[in-house]
Amino acid sequence: MEIVYVYVKKRSEFGKQCNFSDRQAELNIDIPPNPELAEQFVERNPVDTGIQCSTSMSEHEANTERFEMETRGINHVEGGWPKDVNPLELEQTIRFRKKVEKDENYINAIMQLGSIMEHCIKQNNAIDIYQEYFDDEDAVEVTEEAPSAKTINVFRDPQEIKRSATHLSWHPDGNRKLAVAYSCLDFQRAPEGMSHEAYIWDLENPNRPEIVLKPSSSLITLEYNPKDSHVLLGGCYNGQLACWDTRKGSLVAELSTIEFSHRDPVYGSIWLQSKTGTECFSASTDGQVMWWDIRKMSEPTEVVILDITRKEQLESALGAISLEFESTLPTKFMVGTEQGIVISCNRKAKTSAEKIVCTFPGHHGPIYALQRNPFYPKNFLTVGDWTARIWSEDSRESSIMWTKYHMAYLTDGAWSPVRPAVFFTTKMDGTLDIWDFVFKQCDPALSLKVCDEALFCLRVQDNGCFIACGSQLGTTTLLEVSNGLCTLQRNEKNTASSIFERETRREKILEARHREMRLKEKGKVEGKDDDQREEETTLNLEELVSKAEEEFFDIIFSELRKKEVEAMKMKPKPKHQDLETDEEVEGEDPGEEEGDHAETPT
């Protein structure tokens, strides 16, 4: 191929032409050394020299282009047919197949390919090259490094009047975005001019939020829809439920009517597993859990009153603080109340009273966090007052495991999505605690001081490596934990399961023992404790037998004396023999008594 390049510029615009030629070297100047100049030099000793001791630093800038994604579709059309045959016409295709099958070349080709195919099938049946020999065992990495965490990024509330970060939610696709709800939870102490805006942050740009959400009232909860990443659900301070579609902008897309909304702030909102992906729950301290469909937000689909007395009276209902719904248990949901009681509910029950299945009392204050274990849904975590507790649905009277009482109040908690034995808690002193009860049960595996102010909320990314913590001043800190805390360890599932089962059995035994003790106390008070009487009778059997023997022998001895006295009175004797007889009788009494005593038992 011939390559031709045409110069458009004129020769005069190229500059002066350079002409090079070879020539001999020329000496321009030669300065010989002068000894007289050397005598004028003076030696400096010592010499003071200034040295810069700081580390050498350099600053570089790089402008990187963002990776742009584009969605393209492929339309697959059935091919291989001749031009005169329409593949959509069934008659034409059948006619063409019959024509081909009658051809001799077709039969020879099928016979030739059939033998090759048969050989490959026999090979495949002989040995499966894709067989997984160790598919039962999970590929785990054993790491011996000490647990640690480091701060990756900090997202600060851009408003001048600072608000508390009350809730966090990760973007369901890729987890590259974080939605943060801001509000002031102090009753009637919100400063004037406080903004109601919530933000969606891009993890790579902490300087400015990517999307601003503008609700009518401050948001306490904010949750991404797991089926549609463009839709968010928010619970407002005034009791309303708001819904956003980020494709439509920052304004609210759907809003519940004030007449059918909660009467207190919405402290809990959660998406449900449904075919449409539009159903959700909301909970508030007014004692109601409402079932919504965001396509028609004018009125809730159903309302559950949290009255554990099952009288369905709103005055005696317990205030809801947290919600939990597990997609693998579609008929159940759990509510954490501000009275420290966890209520397990059945959303398929017909009446509101039947919806409350059972309760788990255990905390001294509001339950700020409630979450089932992602690997063992029968076990769930609660965080409230000064402790975090792990429960089992089989043990309703008390938790199976709990942390020690901390000096600072606990505000939130969550399980690790990748390790069944690891969970996280936040405290009012700005500390994040990471617990690993397989490694250590009395103290956290890692305690990290995130900030000076109180931490109000936390949320763990789906891969378990990143944790977002929201503080009282609206600062959201992004942390990355070490590989040991976000990698499944060898036999960890079996170990965690055995610990849960062992502690559940222990609590059942203690519950049975406490139940027996309560029944005994009740029987003592009412005078109807028959079981206790039988036990006392069994314990005092030896004393009763010895006492009966003494009474029996006393009766025998008294009867013998009576008979002797009567026999003496009935028999007349001479006077001179009376004294001898009396002496003999008195002398023989011990012998007779001993004889009687010896013969009586026989």
Side-chain angles (χ1 to χ4, degrees):
M1 181 185 293
E2 184 179 359
I3 300 175
V4 179
Y5 183 77
V6 179
Y7 288 92
V8 182
K9 288 185 178 182
K10 296 180 180 180
R11 177 64 189 83
S12 60
E13 296 178 359
F14 288 159
K16 186 179 179 180
Q17 184 179 3
C18 296
N19 295 321
F20 299 96
S21 62
D22 294 334
R23 63 180 181 180
Q24 297 296 326
E26 297 179 0
L27 179 62
N28 294 325
I29 189 172
D30 183 13
I31 303 176
N34 189 358
E36 297 179 357
L37 295 177
E39 296 178 356
Q40 297 179 6
F41 282 91
V42 178
E43 182 182 2
R44 294 176 59 189
N45 188 13
V47 179
D48 295 333
T49 305
I51 299 174
Q52 185 69 22
C53 299
S54 61
T55 307
S56 300
M57 305 285 288
S58 62
E59 182 178 357
H60 300 276
E61 294 183 0
N63 186 17
T64 57
E65 295 182 1
R66 288 183 176 271
F67 179 73
E68 297 182 359
M69 298 183 65
E70 183 179 352
T71 304
R72 295 186 179 182
I74 300 175
N75 186 18
H76 176 73
V77 180
E78 185 178 357
W81 298 96
K83 294 182 180 180
D84 57 344
V85 176
N86 186 5
L88 300 178
E89 292 292 336
L90 185 61
E91 295 180 358
Q92 295 184 20
T93 56
I94 293 174
R95 193 181 304 113
F96 182 76
R97 282 196 181 98
K98 288 182 179 180
K99 179 183 177 182
V100 172
E101 289 174 359
K102 292 179 181 178
D103 191 0
E104 294 181 358
N105 295 329
Y106 172 77
I107 298 173
N108 295 331
I110 291 296
M111 294 297 294
Q112 183 180 0
L113 294 174
S115 60
I116 299 174
M117 191 67 187
E118 184 181 4
H119 175 70
C120 295
I121 291 174
K122 288 181 178 179
Q123 271 190 340
N124 192 34
N125 292 337
I127 182 171
D128 185 7
I129 62 174
Y130 300 106
Q131 181 180 359
E132 294 286 346
Y133 292 97
F134 307 102
D135 54 351
D136 295 336
E137 297 184 5
D138 296 330
V140 297
E141 297 180 6
V142 180
T143 55
E144 298 181 355
E145 62 174 343
S148 61
K150 59 181 179 179
T151 303
I152 300 297
N153 232 330
V154 178
F155 306 93
R156 303 185 187 278
D157 184 9
Q159 299 293 329
E160 294 182 0
I161 301 176
K162 298 303 179 183
R163 308 159 295 168
S164 300
T166 54
H167 201 84
L168 307 171
S169 181
W170 287 99
H171 193 278
D173 297 336
N175 293 322
R176 301 308 302 169
K177 298 178 184 178
L178 182 67
V180 185
Y182 300 91
S183 179
C184 179
L185 298 180
D186 294 335
F187 181 66
Q188 293 185 349
R189 293 184 181 177
E192 294 183 2
M194 187 186 73
S195 175
H196 299 325
E197 295 178 350
Y199 303 117
I200 298 177
W201 297 88
D202 189 342
L203 299 188
E204 297 179 357
N205 184 16
N207 300 320
R208 186 178 60 184
E210 185 179 77
I211 300 176
V212 180
L213 305 179
K214 298 180 179 180
S216 58
S217 178
S218 299
L219 291 181
I220 298 180
T221 64
L222 187 61
E223 289 287 348
Y224 268 107
N225 189 336
K227 285 194 172 182
D228 189 353
S229 59
H230 298 285
V231 179
L232 292 98
L233 179 70
C236 300
Y237 191 81
N238 62 355
Q240 289 181 294
L241 205 66
C243 183
W244 281 269
D245 190 339
T246 55
R247 293 167 292 190
K248 298 180 180 179
S250 300
L251 299 179
V252 177
E254 297 290 340
L255 184 66
S256 64
T257 55
I258 196 71
E259 294 83 4
F260 297 100
S261 300
H262 291 281
R263 300 187 300 180
D264 283 354
V266 180
Y267 286 100
S269 62
I270 193 168
W271 292 96
L272 302 182
Q273 185 78 11
S274 61
K275 294 181 180 179
T276 59
T278 58
E279 297 181 1
C280 59
F281 271 155
S282 66
S284 174
T285 50
D286 61 356
Q288 298 181 95
V289 176
M290 295 185 179
W291 188 350
W292 301 85
D293 191 332
I294 62 173
R295 295 174 296 180
K296 42 184 179 179
M297 296 279 286
S298 59
E299 188 175 351
T301 308
E302 195 172 345
V303 178
V304 180
I305 299 176
L306 300 176
D307 185 6
I308 58 177
T309 60
R310 291 178 170 81
K311 296 180 181 179
E312 299 187 29
Q313 294 181 356
L314 195 59
E315 291 76 13
S316 57
L318 303 180
I321 292 291
S322 53
L323 278 173
E324 165 61 20
F325 176 79
E326 175 62 37
S327 58
T328 58
L329 304 172
T331 60
K332 294 182 179 181
F333 69 95
M334 305 184 77
V335 184
T337 64
E338 60 181 348
Q339 286 79 13
I341 299 174
V342 178
I343 303 176
S344 178
C345 303
N346 182 8
R347 69 185 185 117
K348 295 296 183 181
K350 296 180 179 179
T351 63
S352 181
E354 293 177 355
K355 288 184 182 296
I356 298 177
V357 179
C358 60
T359 59
F360 300 87
H363 285 281
H364 306 298
I367 298 175
Y368 293 112
L370 172 62
Q371 186 184 9
R372 291 184 184 270
N373 190 296
F375 296 89
Y376 306 101
K378 290 182 66 175
N379 303 99
F380 56 93
L381 171 72
T382 60
V383 173
D385 52 64
W386 299 271
T387 60
R389 296 177 179 269
I390 300 175
W391 302 76
S392 172
E393 288 187 344
D394 299 333
S395 177
R396 298 181 180 178
E397 294 187 8
S398 63
S399 55
I400 60 173
M401 299 173 67
W402 55 88
T403 65
K404 63 181 181 181
Y405 279 80
H406 298 275
M407 297 299 294
Y409 213 71
L410 269 66
T411 54
D412 202 357
W415 287 104
S416 170
V418 293
R419 290 193 57 188
V422 174
F423 64 93
F424 309 89
T425 59
T426 55
K427 295 187 293 187
M428 289 288 286
D429 59 357
T431 304
L432 171 68
D433 289 338
I434 303 177
W435 295 81
D436 184 357
F437 57 79
V438 172
F439 172 68
K440 190 189 298 185
Q441 295 186 1
C442 299
D443 296 307
L446 177 64
S447 186
L448 188 66
K449 182 74 171 178
V450 178
C451 56
D452 295 331
E453 64 268 17
L455 292 177
F456 275 6
C457 56
L458 74 90
R459 186 61 71 92
V460 187
Q461 203 180 31
D462 291 340
N463 58 12
C465 296
F466 296 99
I467 308 169
C469 302
S471 71
Q472 187 177 8
L473 298 180
T475 302
T476 303
T477 306
L478 184 64
L479 302 167
E480 182 182 8
V481 298
S482 57
N483 291 329
L485 294 173
C486 60
T487 305
L488 187 66
Q489 303 297 310
R490 182 180 291 119
N491 297 328
E492 183 177 358
K493 288 185 179 180
N494 297 332
T495 305
S497 176
S498 62
I499 291 176
F500 286 146
E501 292 176 359
R502 181 193 67 198
E503 296 300 323
T504 303
R505 287 196 303 269
R506 182 179 66 84
E507 286 300 324
K508 284 184 178 180
I509 294 172
L510 293 176
E511 286 178 10
R513 179 61 179 164
H514 290 162
R515 201 176 297 115
E516 291 178 4
M517 294 175 65
R518 286 196 295 269
L519 289 174
K520 289 178 183 179
E521 294 294 331
K522 186 177 180 181
K524 285 182 180 180
V525 174
E526 297 179 358
K528 297 179 181 180
D529 194 359
D530 297 334
D531 297 337
Q532 189 175 4
R533 290 180 182 176
E534 292 179 2
E535 291 180 3
E536 291 178 355
T537 303
T538 304
L539 293 173
N540 299 330
L541 184 62
E542 295 180 0
E543 296 180 2
L544 294 174
V545 169
S546 61
K547 188 175 182 181
E549 286 182 356
E550 291 179 2
E551 293 178 355
F552 175 74
F553 290 137
D554 290 341
I555 293 172
I556 294 293
F557 295 155
S558 60
E559 290 295 330
L560 287 175
R561 289 192 183 94
K562 287 180 183 180
K563 288 181 180 180
E564 291 175 358
V565 173
E566 290 177 357
M568 292 298 295
K569 289 181 180 179
M570 295 294 294
K571 189 183 293 185
K573 292 182 180 181
K575 294 182 179 180
H576 65 274
Q577 292 180 352
D578 291 342
L579 295 172
E580 296 177 2
T581 305
D582 294 337
E583 291 175 358
E584 291 175 1
V585 171
E586 291 176 359
E588 292 174 358
D589 283 343
E592 292 176 358
E593 291 179 3
E594 291 177 1
D596 294 338
H597 185 70
E599 293 174 0
T600 301
T602 306

